[in-house]
């Protein structure tokens, strides 16, 4: 991967197929449309499984220039997602950090994007991936950390996908069953970036619907699909992030042209 370039590279790291589309699909499409480069790393669902095939379809809809990188662990709640591999929660953490550091050093991104520390709504796999990304970003530039995994690389900024409290409150009247909206939300004042992704909404929705298995299986996804058009557009048409710069000035995700 060429590191000498003015193109800002972002790597999106998610736990499961469909997370990339639902939570960060607009940012992926917008970042690429505005001249950036992006890759996707997904922790679970092994190549050859049906949801991995759906992930490939979603990635194409979002305009990703390369196929997603799959770490190959099992979803902690779906063992058949990687029949010959352990759950993402069962592998020694240091081993996973080393694996992600190797990807960071290979891809050499300025930006890493993942979930907030609560995994947006408390999913243990999401929380685990947040911790994994933070640890790998800290380790990747260290000269003496796993030198066999590539040249050290300093990520400039971390972005954490979240939902503002105002958006949670907008959706809640339409989803009265708390099981379908177990989200507390981040206070609006604590949000560092809100991306208007209306111009990428078509690609984002097509990517979400590429995950046919999850759309059919998940009561939460079906309930979201039944929300009236305006609040649904408010939810899907804007994406919110908190930001942590690892070097002064950091790097901009999907900057305006």
């Amino acid at each position: 991967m060429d590191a000498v370039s003015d193109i800002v590279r972002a790597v999106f790291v998610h736990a499961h197929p469909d997370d990339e589309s639902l939570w960060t699909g607009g940012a992926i499409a917008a970042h690429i449309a505005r001249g950036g480069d992006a890759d996707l790393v997904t922790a679970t669902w092994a190549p050859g499984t049906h949801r991995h095939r759906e992930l490939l379809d979603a990635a194409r809809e979002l305009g990703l220039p390369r196929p997603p990188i799959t770490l190959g662990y099992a979803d902690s709640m779906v063992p058949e997602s990687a029949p010959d591999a352990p759950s993402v929660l069962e592998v020694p953490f240091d081993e996973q950090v080393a694996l992600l550091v190797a990807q960071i050093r290979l891809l050499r991104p300025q930006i890493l994007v993942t979930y907030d520390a609560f995994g947006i709504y408390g999913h243990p796999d999401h929380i685990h991936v947040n911790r994994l990304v933070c640890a790998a970003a800290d380790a990747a530039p260290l000269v003496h950390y796993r030198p066999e995994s590539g040249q050290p690389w300093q990520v400039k900024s971390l972005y954490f996908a979240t939902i503002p409290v105002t958006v949670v409150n907008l959706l809640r009247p339409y989803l009265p069953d708390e099981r379908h909206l177990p989200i507390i939300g981040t206070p609006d004042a604590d949000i560092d970036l809100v991306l208007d992704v209306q111009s990428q909404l078509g690609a984002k929705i097509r990517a979400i619907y590429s995950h046919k298995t999850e759309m059919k299986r998940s009561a939460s996804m079906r309930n979201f699909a039944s929300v009236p058009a305006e609040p649904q557009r408010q939810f899907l048409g804007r994406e919110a992030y908190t930001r942590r710069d690892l070097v002064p000035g950091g790097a901009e995700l999907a900057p305006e042209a």
Side-chain angles (χ1 to χ4, degrees), residues 167-176 181 198 201 205 209 220-237:
V167 175
V168 175
N169 292 339
L170 180 70
L171 292 173
R172 201 174 296 282
Y174 304 102
L175 301 171
L181 194 67
Q198 293 287 342
L201 196 52
I205 290 172
Y209 276 87
S220 296
M221 294 289 275
R222 290 195 301 274
N223 275 270
F224 275 125
S226 69
V227 170
E230 182 55 30
Q232 193 177 107
R233 185 164 58 249
Q234 289 286 328
F235 172 66
L236 294 175

Side-chain angles (χ1 to χ4, degrees), residues 12 14 16-22 24-26 28-30 32 38-42 51-70 203-211:
F12 293 76
H14 285 286
H16 316 108
D18 88 308
D19 292 337
E20 82 296 325
S21 301
L22 182 62
T24 62
I28 293 172
I32 293 168
D39 283 282
L40 171 63
V41 175
T42 304
R51 287 194 63 189
H52 181 262
R53 291 190 292 272
E54 294 169 353
L55 176 65
L56 297 177
D57 292 339
R60 282 191 290 269
E61 294 290 356
L62 296 174
L64 281 161
R66 291 167 291 277
I69 296 160
T70 306
K204 179 175 178 176
I205 290 172
R206 289 193 300 273
I208 291 170
Y209 276 87
S210 293
H211 295 283

